[in-house]
Amino acid sequence: MKDIDSIAVLQDPVRRRLYEYVAAQGREVGRNEAAEAAGVARTLAAHHLDKLTEAGLLECGSRRLTGRSGPGAGRPAKVYTRARVERSVSLPARDYRTAAELLAEAAEQAGLDAGLCAVARRRGEALRGSAAPCGGLEEAMKMLAARGYEPYLEGDESAEGAEGVQAAEGIEGTTGAAARVVRMRNCPFHAVAEGFPPLVCGMNLALLEGLFGTDGAVRARMDARPGECCVVLENSKSNDD
C-alpha cells in the first residue's frame, strides 16, 4: 500500500482517534481498552484497528491480558502498537531526507559537530523568541508536543491510559512528585539520526537547550533509550534548591 493510501485511512474520525490513542501509549493496547478510550463499541473498534493494521499504520500481535497462563487462562487477545515504518506524503514530490543525509554525512566527515550545535542552539532561541526561559515541565511538554516529540512523564507509566494522553498533551493534574523526568516517544529527526546518531542527537540537544533556555526551570540532557528520543528533560538543579 502506498503512503498516500495508508494516510487516507485516517480520514475516518473514529479510526483516527483509535490510531492516536494506540500511538500515544508506547505499549501494546487491547481492543477493550482502545474501544473505551475512543468511546465506541468493541466490535467497531476491532474493525477499525484491523483496518489500521492492514494499512500498515499499526502492528498486531496477541497475548493474554490477564497475566495468567496455563489451563483456564483464556485465549490470547489481539493487541496493537504503532507501526515502526515511517509514512509521508509530499505534493509535488520532494526528497528532503536524502538532502539531510548528505548534509549530515558531509558535516560528520568535516568534523562540524560544534558548529552544527551552535547553529541549532541559535535556532532554538529564535523559536522561543522574546519569551522567558521555560517555566517548568508542564510548559515544556506543551512545547514538545507541538513539535511532534510526543512527550510523557516517566514514573507515570501506570497511568499511560487516559491520564498518559493528558500528560502528553500537557493537561494539568497529571504531574506528581515521582514524575520528574520528561521522555519523548518520537524523535522528529529519527530517519537521519539512525545514520548519524552522535551528530544529529547532539544537534537535537542543542536545539532544545536553545528552545527552553539554559537558565530556566528545565534542563535538557542526553539519556538515550531504544525506540525513543535521546534527549530527556528534568527540573534544573537551581529549580530544585
Side-chain angles (χ1 to χ4, degrees):
M1 182 176 287
K2 294 181 179 180
D3 284 3
I4 191 169
D5 295 324
S6 296
I7 294 172
V9 169
L10 296 173
Q11 184 176 0
D12 183 284
V14 173
R15 203 168 289 169
R16 188 181 305 174
R17 289 204 304 273
L18 287 165
Y19 172 78
E20 289 174 346
Y21 179 78
V22 173
Q25 304 316 302
R27 57 177 172 81
E28 295 177 330
V29 175
R31 288 174 165 177
N32 287 338
E33 179 186 344
E36 183 177 353
V40 298
R42 182 183 184 279
T43 52
L44 181 60
H47 168 74
H48 284 305
L49 289 167
D50 286 340
K51 287 294 183 182
L52 289 165
T53 302
E54 291 174 13
L57 297 174
L58 296 181
E59 294 178 356
C60 179
S62 62
R63 67 178 175 86
R64 289 189 173 90
L65 300 178
T66 61
R68 296 180 297 165
S69 60
R75 296 175 60 185
K78 275 192 171 183
V79 290
Y80 302 84
T81 56
R82 177 168 56 185
R84 286 165 286 188
V85 65
E86 183 178 312
R87 305 281 183 180
S88 63
V89 175
S90 176
L91 298 173
R94 297 288 187 262
D95 189 5
Y96 299 114
R97 176 174 175 175
T98 297
E101 290 174 343
L102 291 171
L103 290 168
E105 184 176 354
E108 188 175 76
Q109 291 179 357
L112 299 178
D113 303 56
L116 177 60
C117 287
V119 171
R121 191 171 289 105
R122 288 198 298 270
R123 173 60 63 91
E125 292 169 352
L127 290 172
R128 175 159 52 93
S130 59
C134 189
L137 293 180
E138 261 192 22
E139 180 183 342
M141 290 179 72
K142 291 179 182 178
M143 297 169 70
L144 289 169
R147 302 196 67 80
Y149 282 92
E150 299 181 10
Y152 71 95
L153 289 165
E154 186 177 50
D156 207 28
E157 287 84 357
S158 61
E160 283 190 348
E163 293 181 4
V165 172
Q166 289 178 336
E169 294 176 349
I171 297 176
E172 292 182 3
T174 59
T175 56
R180 308 274 299 183
V181 176
V182 173
R183 291 187 177 272
M184 296 163 262
R185 291 197 177 93
N186 184 52
C187 172
F189 316 111
H190 173 73
V192 185
E194 276 192 315
F196 309 91
L199 182 76
V200 178
C201 292
M203 176 200 74
N204 187 25
L205 175 62
L207 177 71
L208 294 180
E209 286 175 341
L211 182 63
F212 297 123
T214 56
D215 55 350
V218 172
R219 180 174 75 101
R221 63 176 174 84
M222 288 285 197
D223 189 7
R225 178 184 286 184
E228 295 188 344
C229 179
C230 59
V231 179
V232 300
L233 301 181
E234 60 188 7
N235 290 314
S236 65
K237 293 182 179 178
S238 60
N239 190 55
D240 291 338
D241 295 339

